Amino acid sequence: MTQASFRNAPVAALIYEFLYDAYRMIGVDRSHLSWLSDEKATPLGVFDHGFTSKWEWSASILKEVGAIIPIEPPDLPALRGDARRTVSTPFYTPAMTLEACHATDFSSFEAFDNYCYAMFTLDQHVADDDHLSFTSPRFLDAVAARDDIFEVDAFCRVTYSRDRFNEKVMTRWDEMQVREFKAT
């Protein structure tokens, strides 16, 4: 099967989904992370990816496109030399609203390898029953209806096809010598 026969969701729509999830996490963690909140430095809130793979991967994409920025915890500057360079922060704040993200031109990231990287990341959020652990109100039209990994029935129920994901994304993933999300 050739790549031309694939129906892929736009990478920009996947970026939006990851930022939507970051905002969802901000809502959940608001009281827990109040010690990092600063109305001037973090007006859109703070989230913690908790060094959990699925959120680390989506944070890496969001950071690369400029949608989020890292926040250093107050005790990190106290570390010295090599210890400080090896410690990365799990704390981030959005650099854009969801509306700004939707309006941003992410065309420099619209490459098949970036799509595979983003779908691999999204797949980490798929539960054992092949349902996503989060989706924005835009997900159905912006992602599911535009990508052949998802099937949308007459009642707007979305089914995730693990076989199609493996055939399309993982085949390319296994071929990729360098797995990174970057502008083309």
Side-chain angles (χ1 to χ4, degrees), residues 12 14 47 51 57 78-79 81 91 93 100 109 116 130-131 133 136 143:
L14 296 168
F47 76 93
F51 298 105
W57 282 72
L79 295 174
F91 306 110
T93 188
F109 293 95
C116 289
D130 285 339
H131 286 87
S133 58
S136 78
V143 177

Side-chain angles (χ1 to χ4, degrees), residues 36-50:
L36 269 176
S37 294
D38 175 340
E39 288 184 25
K40 291 181 183 174
T42 62
L44 300 177
V46 176
F47 76 93
D48 172 5
H49 67 47

Side-chain angles (χ1 to χ4, degrees), residues 130-180:
D130 285 339
H131 286 87
L132 283 168
S133 58
F134 72 94
T135 59
S136 78
R138 298 184 67 243
F139 180 81
L140 181 65
D141 293 329
V143 177
R146 298 182 72 182
D147 198 296
D148 56 11
I149 287 176
F150 302 95
E151 293 179 15
V152 181
D153 70 13
F155 301 103
C156 295
R157 291 180 297 212
V158 177
T159 305
Y160 181 84
S161 173
R162 172 75 48 202
D163 290 339
R164 183 66 177 136
F165 170 82
N166 288 336
E167 174 187 25
K168 182 165 80 168
V169 174
M170 293 310 295
T171 297
R172 177 63 189 141
W173 187 259
D174 291 340
E175 295 168 349
M176 293 168 71
Q177 292 183 10
V178 177
R179 296 176 181 148
E180 63 184 356

